[in-house]
Amino acid sequence: MRGDVIKNTEEYVKAYLGKAESGHNWWHIYRVRNLALYIQRKEERGDLFIIELAALLHDIGDYKTGIEGDGKLIVKDFLKDQKVTGKEISLVLEIMENISFRDSFDSNKKKSVELAIVQDADRLDAMGAIGIARAFNYGGFRGNEIYDPDTPCKEYRTKEEYTSSGSPTINHFYEKLLKLKSMMNTDTAKALAVERHVYMQQFLDYFFREWRLGEDIREK
Ligand code: ADP
Ligand code: NI
């Protein structure tokens, strides 16, 4: 029965995110689900069914997918159809509501283990080589620049400021991606985050080295 719900959810999400921005499409969901299940196994805590459902459904309704829709309503109706219990549905919806980086600005609430794990998995997929690829794809999708030396980085204090930013993608590393390492909830994710963080730092070092080399050559 639960196996069927998971299978049906996979099919549903694949179809729903069919035309999503590539950093937020089915393959992002696939990676987050794999990471979340891995973290659960290592940590030996958290309800597997809730973690898997929430990982599969977490980006339904997120504006970053490029697909409009009231995610919570869509997921609620879908899970009701699947005969998932009311209690389980609320647990999934609560994870969806609190998982995002932008939600961390106005929430000091205590997290469920399941939220902590799915959030770590989602954040890990924003880091490292895949994180770099996703950031530039999303920036391009939004029409943002790769880099502009005249646009300084910002410190966002509210969800609105963060969401409306059209910053160059390089700035996004300083505004968000390099902060993720110290925001991990579980020890398993903290360990995985270290290498991905170092790789992003190296990428930025190379990026600026190449940028400056061009300037130095011209001056000679
Ligand atoms: P969250 O909702 O916590 O931000 P998501 O998984 O929905 O997490 O999406 C985050 C990803 O979207 C980032 O890792 C990055 O790849 C991309 N992204 C979001 N905002 C920007 C931006 N301004 N520039 C580049 N990439 C961005
Ligand atoms: Ni996500």
Side-chain angles (χ1 to χ4, degrees), residues 28 58-59 122:
H28 163 63
H58 81 273
D59 271 337
D122 195 29

Side-chain angles (χ1 to χ4, degrees), residues 24 28 59 62 64 100-102 122 126 134-135 138-139 162 169 172 176-177:
H24 287 86
H28 163 63
D59 271 337
D62 190 321
K64 289 195 251 45
S100 196
F101 182 76
R102 64 188 182 279
D122 195 29
R134 289 182 75 214
Y138 183 79
Y162 173 70
T169 301
H172 190 62
K176 172 184 172 188
L177 304 178

Side-chain angles (χ1 to χ4, degrees), residues 21 23-24 28 32 58-59 62-65 99-103 119 122-123 125-127 130-140 142 144-145 156 162-163 165-173 175-177 180:
E21 179 268 317
H24 287 86
H28 163 63
V32 170
H58 81 273
D59 271 337
D62 190 321
Y63 73 96
K64 289 195 251 45
T65 59
I99 188 171
S100 196
F101 182 76
R102 64 188 182 279
D103 299 319
Q119 188 173 55
D122 195 29
R123 286 174 171 172
D125 201 55
M127 303 179 70
I130 287 180
I132 294 170
R134 289 182 75 214
F136 285 100
N137 197 70
Y138 183 79
R142 289 293 291 255
N144 298 340
E145 290 178 281
Y156 300 105
Y162 173 70
T163 322
S165 157
S167 292
T169 301
I170 287 288
N171 295 23
H172 190 62
F173 285 81
E175 292 166 354
K176 172 184 172 188
L177 304 178
L180 294 174

Side-chain angles (χ1 to χ4, degrees), residues 48-188:
L48 257 183
F49 182 61
I50 298 297
I51 289 173
E52 193 161 14
L53 270 187
L56 287 169
L57 293 162
H58 81 273
D59 271 337
I60 300 273
D62 190 321
Y63 73 96
K64 289 195 251 45
T65 59
I67 300 168
E68 300 272 335
D70 183 339
K72 282 180 70 185
L73 207 67
I74 295 168
V75 166
K76 199 166 157 184
D77 286 346
F78 170 76
L79 292 178
K80 263 192 194 160
D81 271 358
Q82 296 295 314
K83 310 278 183 294
V84 172
T85 67
K87 177 145 188 283
E88 289 169 328
I89 296 178
S90 335
L91 290 171
V92 172
L93 293 181
E94 202 193 303
I95 295 175
M96 285 179 72
E97 229 173 285
N98 294 292
I99 188 171
S100 196
F101 182 76
R102 64 188 182 279
D103 299 319
S104 61
F105 292 107
D106 33 41
S107 134
N108 286 314
K109 275 194 287 181
K110 197 172 159 359
K111 294 173 192 168
S112 66
V113 182
E114 291 78 14
L115 167 60
I117 289 178
V118 181
Q119 188 173 55
D120 279 357
D122 195 29
R123 286 174 171 172
L124 282 169
D125 201 55
M127 303 179 70
I130 287 180
I132 294 170
R134 289 182 75 214
F136 285 100
N137 197 70
Y138 183 79
F141 178 75
R142 289 293 291 255
N144 298 340
E145 290 178 281
I146 293 174
Y147 177 55
D148 172 16
D150 297 329
T151 307
C153 292
K154 296 178 198 154
E155 264 303 325
Y156 300 105
R157 276 170 302 272
T158 66
K159 189 165 157 172
E160 286 69 32
E161 271 177 24
Y162 173 70
T163 322
S164 61
S165 157
S167 292
T169 301
I170 287 288
N171 295 23
H172 190 62
F173 285 81
Y174 299 95
E175 292 166 354
K176 172 184 172 188
L177 304 178
L178 291 172
K179 295 181 178 170
L180 294 174
K181 180 174 70 115
S182 59
M183 291 173 73
M184 294 295 157
N185 302 301
T186 64
D187 288 345
T188 307

